[in-house]
Amino acid sequence: MSVVTLTRFRIDPADAAELRLRHAALVSAIRSAAPGLAEARLGKLDDETWIGIWRWESTEGLRAAREIAPARPESTAAFSLARDVTVEQMEIIDEG
């Protein structure tokens, strides 16, 4: 069953272009190190509030990524721009 994480955070609007670059690097690094990432999206609600939506093929894939992500320099770089970070996780019950 698929699992989705929603990571909501705030950034300085001046960092938007850099955030996009760092997010892309993070996605690439996680994909190469922990299989199972089906989709990763980055969106913004306003100039300061952003949401990362990552869909995993399984809970096991997410668990593997969470074990390696903190040690990855791409994670540190991406999250160094963020503040007020919250994360939610949900299992996908119905897919349409």
Side-chain angles (χ1 to χ4, degrees):
M1 186 170 296
S2 295
V3 178
V4 172
T5 58
L6 304 167
T7 305
R8 183 182 180 121
F9 56 94
R10 296 170 46 99
I11 65 162
D12 182 325
D15 292 332
E18 185 64 23
L19 172 69
R20 293 180 70 197
L21 291 173
R22 292 182 189 190
H23 179 264
L26 176 58
V27 170
S28 180
I30 295 300
R31 275 203 169 113
S32 67
L37 178 60
E39 180 178 12
R41 305 280 183 185
L42 180 64
K44 66 179 190 171
L45 300 176
D46 57 48
D47 287 342
E48 292 184 358
T49 310
W50 293 67
I51 296 178
I53 303 168
W54 291 41
R55 186 172 59 85
W56 299 88
E57 294 172 1
S58 68
T59 303
E60 293 77 22
L62 173 57
R63 187 176 305 118
R66 283 186 170 158
E67 288 177 9
I68 63 155
R72 300 293 307 207
E74 297 88 354
S75 294
T76 304
F79 281 96
S80 70
L81 298 176
R83 64 185 190 280
D84 303 328
V85 178
T86 61
V87 180
E88 294 182 68
Q89 177 179 322
M90 67 177 188
E91 283 186 16
I92 302 297
I93 304 302
D94 292 318
E95 294 196 39

